[in-house]
Amino acid sequence: MTVTSIHKDVDALTLTFVAEFDAQVERVWQVWEDPRRLERWWGPPTWPATFERHDFTVGGSSLYFMTGPNGEKAYGWWRITAIDAPHRLEFDDGFADENGEPDTTMGSTHAVVTLEPAGTGTRMVTVSTFASSEQLEQLITMGMEEGMRQSMGQIDALLAEGEA
Amino acid sequence: MTADEVDRIFHGLADATRRDIIAQVLRQEQSISALANRYDMSFAAVQKHVAVLERASLVTKQRRGREQLVRGNPDVLHRTARLLDAYEQIWRHRARGIEELLAEDRETRAEQ
């Protein structure tokens, strides 16, 4: 796997992530389509996901929960807005309350996933757009431990420029 | 950092002139008039950009005599960078998870 590019648009609150995998497009599509596969990688390392429902059709919805380090549960939902198997998937992803009911006070993330052949493998592009910074913060809180250990990104370059 | 603060910071960083102003005043504090000379825009327009950055705590402003000196606040930039980087890490972990899963699939098929 190679991560080929990452683009952060601070204005539109968008993150574009490009990775290449040594597997055919159909195989990569399955990691999104099959809930047992999906839950193996969706949650942040300290918050593994369990999908209780995964209706992988346009207009379909999914319900999952992530289990935190102290056993606490954070529910989330998907609403699938577009599917063009095995190349394109679009969905909204948001938080839910402890009963799995969508929490309308929190914004939702819109994700567009495209898979295309690249050499003998597959290039996967995911574009995540946040409705609000509140939601981004909430998501990050769950993946924070790992994230905080990492080095600075583009703004670090700005700082270096300022110090030059 | 509260949601409002984050919104103000993203708004502050969303403009190329404002990012350039930050880079300038991190290097050395500067008066608004000195900044205004750098850009092809009015003093008032530069003053507005500085006000946006000040609201986001990306810069601080200090009056000295007749001049207003602008200085960068690297601390807030660092915190914003962490927020964006943290989300990137979530995707890096997901990509790694997918890769491991695909490798397992290959082994299973090879055994069959």
Side-chain angles (χ1 to χ4, degrees):
Chain A
M1 186 262 301
T2 325
V3 174
T4 53
S5 80
I6 291 149
H7 175 73
K8 296 165 201 162
D9 184 335
V10 294
D11 188 13
L13 274 177
T14 299
L15 181 103
T16 303
F17 187 92
V18 185
E20 286 180 11
F21 299 104
D22 182 21
Q24 288 182 332
V25 170
E26 288 74 15
R27 294 274 168 199
V28 182
W29 183 258
Q30 281 172 8
V31 309
W32 289 90
E33 185 178 38
D34 175 353
R36 298 291 81 80
R37 285 163 191 269
L38 177 57
E39 64 193 10
R40 295 270 305 277
W41 60 270
W42 177 254
T46 48
W47 288 79
T50 305
F51 276 74
E52 294 188 329
R53 183 171 75 233
H54 192 48
D55 180 7
F56 203 70
T57 55
V58 177
S61 63
S62 304
L63 179 65
Y64 66 94
F65 61 84
M66 298 187 288
T67 309
N70 302 313
E72 64 270 49
K73 281 182 181 178
Y75 274 90
W77 54 266
W78 284 14
R79 190 172 51 242
I80 294 172
T81 56
I83 287 186
D84 179 13
H87 294 288
R88 188 178 180 87
L89 165 69
E90 291 189 32
F91 62 96
D92 295 320
D93 174 28
F95 286 96
D97 65 19
E98 64 276 17
N99 302 315
E101 289 297 315
D103 182 346
T104 50
T105 62
M106 303 284 295
S108 60
T109 307
H110 185 67
V112 178
V113 184
T114 48
L115 305 177
E116 57 181 41
T120 56
T122 300
R123 177 180 301 116
M124 180 180 84
V125 180
T126 65
V127 182
S128 313
T129 309
F130 307 95
S132 73
S133 52
E134 257 180 30
Q135 206 235 354
L136 175 57
E137 273 205 299
Q138 181 84 33
L139 279 168
I140 287 166
T141 305
M142 297 179 182
M144 191 61 102
E145 251 178 273
E146 284 300 315
M148 293 301 278
R149 276 200 254 124
Q150 302 303 318
S151 63
M152 304 298 148
Q154 61 179 18
I155 294 168
D156 216 28
L158 187 65
L159 287 168
E161 201 181 305
E163 285 156 9
Chain B
M1 217 187 304
T2 72
D4 275 357
E5 281 175 308
V6 176
D7 278 340
R8 282 196 294 271
I9 290 166
F10 279 129
H11 180 59
L13 291 171
D15 180 273
T17 303
R18 288 201 288 271
R19 288 195 295 272
D20 194 63
I21 290 175
I22 293 170
Q24 295 303 320
V25 300
L26 278 168
R27 193 173 300 158
Q28 194 186 355
E29 60 174 15
Q30 290 191 44
S31 67
I32 294 186
S33 32
L35 286 170
N37 285 337
R38 281 186 62 86
Y39 308 107
D40 188 20
M41 56 178 73
S42 68
F43 180 86
V46 171
Q47 208 166 19
K48 271 185 198 162
H49 280 313
V50 170
V52 170
L53 294 174
E54 201 187 1
R55 273 199 296 277
S57 305
L58 290 164
V59 303
T60 55
K61 221 166 61 182
Q62 209 181 3
R63 186 171 280 282
R64 191 176 299 160
R66 290 176 56 195
E67 282 194 327
Q68 296 193 80
L69 293 172
V70 185
R71 187 183 295 178
N73 184 356
D75 184 46
V76 172
L77 282 171
H78 277 298
R79 277 154 56 195
T80 309
R82 282 192 201 111
L83 201 61
L84 285 170
D85 288 349
Y87 192 72
E88 175 194 326
Q89 286 310 312
I90 292 177
W91 269 107
R92 284 187 181 275
H93 281 285
R94 284 175 179 167
R96 207 169 301 148
I98 291 174
E99 182 186 43
E100 283 167 13
L101 197 51
L102 293 168
E104 240 175 70
D105 282 355
R106 274 195 298 276
E107 279 170 30
T108 312
R109 284 205 308 281
E111 282 164 15
Q112 280 165 2

